[in-house]
Structure formats: structure tokens, C-alpha cells
């Protein structure tokens, strides 16, 4: 059975035809007209329709969007980086493309891709995934199915509280995990460290032209890979908070596997090392019981297409 997966982000709409083994047989992409609600909707239709014409045996379309989706999986309630507000996207695409359509949040789609084809593919019951990018997202699989919650917005793991009365978060709360373990947090920690200990941030400051406020995530990764002390400390800090959160999730859900995904995992052991150490330190008293392994995500940039296509196959 062939299905189409469409990954909708702030800069691109990427589509692919996927078989039931997770192989992408064909793909395409178009720029996202992010400020144009109708234009974004129609770009999704164009991407899906082109693939459907080339593969007439396709049976359904899955869409993963960086947005909050309603409990029925039919309407985009709000998309922070797109123009959508209360957009009935599923039914529009179904009618325009002529194929049954599934609509889901992008982090849930990525989590499902990892459960089916990636780091948790050996699991048959449960997985929790945290995606670490500019912010933090997440997805939860329980009893072999994506857990969406009563209102369709489960898995907002970036907004569990890490520090009481901590840094203000864009969600309106204080001390959310997103403020301590995201790509933005990595940059904030590195910039603060470079101001306080410039001698230990020599390479990092060289890469940023001597200006701590000009430090970027890519520069932090490069500097850390070459031994810069402040850069490595920044990764250690976000890894610590990520490991603490993972320990909480292990005790809340007792999943078979915990997965770390998102762009920041390209840093490899710089992130995963301190994350795993903090996780095991937090669970030191549970040594009589098995706990989930932490694994790095494996599906990478194809996660959105793979996960959306497989969810469409299961509608």
C-alpha cells in the first residue's frame, strides 16, 4: 500500500510517496508561503496532487504540520509560524486531492516515524520522544498507538516545568523545559559563559567575531567539537536538564524506549552524553527495575514524511 506524507514547516512543504516498509519512492517540495493562509493550504494540495498523479495507486494522504490540531484531527487551531487560525485543512485537502487525508501535529508525526521505522522500531508498546530544536516538542506512543490526549494537544513536553520561578517562556509560564534544554537555551548558556569566562571561550569568540551576542548554535557545536570549554559546558547544561526531564517521563509513562530527536542531536555525544548521564543519575534508586533506554532519533529529515504517510495508511 502506497501513501503520501506531507511535512509542512515554516519554510518548505515537503512531500513523499512511501511504501509500507518506510521507503520513500518519490519526493517533491515547494516553498511555504507562510504569511498566506490560502497559499499555504494550496501549496500542500499541489505537492500531494503532483505525487498522486505520478502514483495513481496511492490510497491516502497524511499531513504533519507545525501547529496545534483539534481533537478530531481535522482543523488547525493555531500555527505559530504560519498564517493558519481555525483552518479546516483536512477536509479541504481531501476534497481537492480526492484522497482520504489525515492531519497531525509535526512532533507527533516525527515520533510515530521513530516508533515505526527509527530508533524505537523494535518496540511494540510504547515510546516517548522529545524533539530538541529551536524550541522543544514531543510525542507519546502508548499501547502501540499515538496518544493525542482528550483535546488533541498531548505531548507538549517542552512546557513541563523544570525550574520553579525560572526563565519566562513564550507559553506564559516560568521555568519550562524549553527554556533550559532547547537550541535557544544552548545559545543563551553559551553567550552567558563567553561573557563570564572569555578565556575558556576563545574559539567560540573567534567564530563569533569577538561578540558574545553574535554566538549561534552552529558556532557552539563547531567550537565544542574542537574542545572549547564554554561551548562544551553549554551542551552539558542542556543535556542535564534534558536528562532530568527524561527521568520524569520514564517514571510517568514507563515506556519501552525514550528518543531524543530534532536538529540539536546532530551534535551527537556532546548532547547525548550528558543527557544519558543525568538520566541515570536521576534514576539511581531504581536499579532494581528496568528503565527505558535513551536513543538518538534515526529518521532525520524524512521523519515528517514517513510518519505522516504511515498514519495515513492506518486511518
Amino acid at each position: 500500500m502506497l501513501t503520501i506524507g506531507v511535512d509542512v514547516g515554516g519554510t518548505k512543504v515537503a512531500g513523499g510517496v512511501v511504501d509500507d516498509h518506510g521507503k520513500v519512492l518519490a519526493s517533491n517540495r515547494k516553498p511555504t508561503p507562510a504569511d498566506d493562509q490560502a497559499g499555504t493550504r494550496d501549496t500542500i494540495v499541489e505537492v500531494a496532487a503532483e505525487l498522486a498523479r505520478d502514483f495513481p495507486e496511492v490510497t491516502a494522504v497524511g499531513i504533519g504540520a507545525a501547529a496545534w490540531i483539534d481533537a478530531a484531527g481535522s482543523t488547525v487551531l493555531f500555527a505559530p509560524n504560519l498564517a493558519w487560525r481555525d483552518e479546516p485543512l483536512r477536509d479541504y485537502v481531501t476534497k481537492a486531492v480526492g484522497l482520504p487525508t489525515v492531519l497531525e501535529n509535526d512532533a507527533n508525526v516525527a515520533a510515530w516515524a521513530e516508533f515505526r521505522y527509527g530508533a524505537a522500531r523494535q518496540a511494540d508498546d510504547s515510546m516517548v520522544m522529545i524533539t530538541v530544536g529551536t524550541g522543544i516538542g514531543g510525542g507519546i506512543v502508548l499501547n502501540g498507538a499515538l496518544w493525542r490526549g482528550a483535546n488533541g494537544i498531548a505531548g507538549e513536553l517542552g512546557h513541563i516545568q523544570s525550574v520553579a520561578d525560572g526563565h519566562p517562556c513564550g507559553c506564559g509560564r516560568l521555568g519550562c523545559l524549553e527554556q533550559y534544554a532547547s537550541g535557544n537555551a544552548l545559545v543563551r548558556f553559551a553567550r552567558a559563559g563567553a561573557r563570564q569566562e572569555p578565556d575558556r571561550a576563545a574559539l567560540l569568540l573567534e567564530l563569533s567575531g569577538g561578540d558574545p551576542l553574535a554566538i549561534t548554535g552552529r558556532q557552539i557545536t563547531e567550537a565544542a567539537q574542537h574542545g572549547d570549554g564554554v561551548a562544551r559546558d553549554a551542551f552539558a547544561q542542556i543535556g542535564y536538564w534534558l536528562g532530568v526531564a527524561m527521568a520524569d517521563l520514564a517514571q510517568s509513562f514507563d515506556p519501552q524506549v525514550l528518543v531524543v530527536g530534532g536538529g540539536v542531536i546532530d551534535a551527537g555525544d556532546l548532547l547525548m552524553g550528558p543527557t544519558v548521564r543525568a538520566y541515570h543519575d536521576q534514576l539511581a534508586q531504581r536499579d532494581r527495575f528496568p528503565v527505558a533506554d535513551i536513543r538518538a532519533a534515526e529518521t532525520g529529515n524524512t521523519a515528517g514524511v514517513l510518519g505522516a504517510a504511515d498514519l495515513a495508511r492506518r486511518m
Side-chain angles (χ1 to χ4, degrees):
M1 181 184 293
L2 301 184
T3 51
I4 293 171
V6 182
D7 181 15
V8 184
T11 60
K12 71 174 187 335
V13 177
V17 175
V18 183
D19 69 14
D20 53 5
H21 298 292
K23 182 179 180 180
V24 180
L25 304 180
S27 60
N28 63 358
R29 67 171 57 198
K30 297 181 184 295
T32 305
D35 297 328
D36 182 350
Q37 182 170 338
T40 299
R41 179 188 66 196
D42 292 337
T43 299
I44 295 167
V45 169
E46 290 172 15
V47 165
E50 285 180 9
L51 292 169
R53 284 194 296 270
D54 293 340
F55 290 82
E57 63 270 44
V58 161
T59 60
V61 176
I63 301 170
W68 282 274
I69 311 299
D70 72 341
S74 64
T75 302
V76 177
L77 300 175
F78 174 75
N81 298 312
L82 299 167
W84 285 329
R85 304 293 185 271
D86 297 316
E87 172 69 30
L89 183 64
R90 183 192 66 189
D91 293 346
Y92 183 89
V93 174
T94 296
K95 183 177 180 180
V97 181
L99 290 169
T101 300
V102 168
L103 175 63
E104 188 52 82
N105 167 268
D106 62 336
N108 283 346
V109 163
W112 187 253
E114 288 299 323
F115 183 71
R116 288 282 292 127
Y117 303 115
R121 62 186 176 275
Q122 302 302 324
D124 58 4
D125 175 74
S126 52
M127 179 207 75
V128 179
M129 176 173 170
I130 290 183
T131 57
V132 184
T134 302
I136 283 184
I140 301 165
V141 176
L142 297 176
N143 298 320
L146 193 63
W147 187 51
R148 303 185 72 247
N151 301 298
I153 56 173
E156 290 293 333
L157 303 180
H159 300 294
I160 58 178
Q161 190 179 65
S162 293
V163 179
D165 298 322
H167 286 283
C169 183
C171 74
R173 301 183 71 200
L174 299 176
C176 289
L177 177 65
E178 187 164 289
Q179 299 305 310
Y180 293 88
S182 64
N184 280 341
L186 177 75
V187 171
R188 190 181 74 245
F189 288 139
R191 289 175 177 177
R195 288 194 299 269
Q196 295 164 7
E197 300 181 274
D199 290 345
R200 296 185 65 242
L203 179 54
L204 190 54
L205 287 169
E206 179 183 335
L207 293 171
S208 67
D211 181 3
L213 295 179
I215 290 171
T216 67
R218 288 179 183 274
Q219 292 166 355
I220 298 166
T221 300
E222 181 179 350
Q225 289 170 338
H226 290 87
D228 185 275
V230 164
R232 295 180 75 88
D233 286 352
F235 274 108
Q237 288 180 83
I238 69 167
Y240 169 79
W241 290 112
L242 190 59
V244 171
M246 288 287 194
D248 289 342
L249 294 171
Q251 296 185 102
S252 298
F253 295 103
D254 189 25
Q256 289 173 293
V257 183
L258 289 160
V259 177
V260 182
V264 178
I265 67 161
D266 290 344
D269 195 57
L270 289 169
L271 175 65
M272 296 300 293
T275 297
V276 172
R277 286 192 293 274
Y279 172 72
H280 286 296
D281 287 347
Q282 291 288 312
L283 297 176
Q285 300 308 312
R286 287 198 57 178
D287 58 356
R288 294 182 179 84
F289 306 97
V291 293
D293 287 335
I294 296 180
R295 301 175 188 168
E298 296 178 2
T299 56
N301 292 332
T302 65
V305 167
L306 289 177
D310 197 65
L311 288 171
R313 186 174 292 113
R314 294 163 183 274
M315 74 168 67

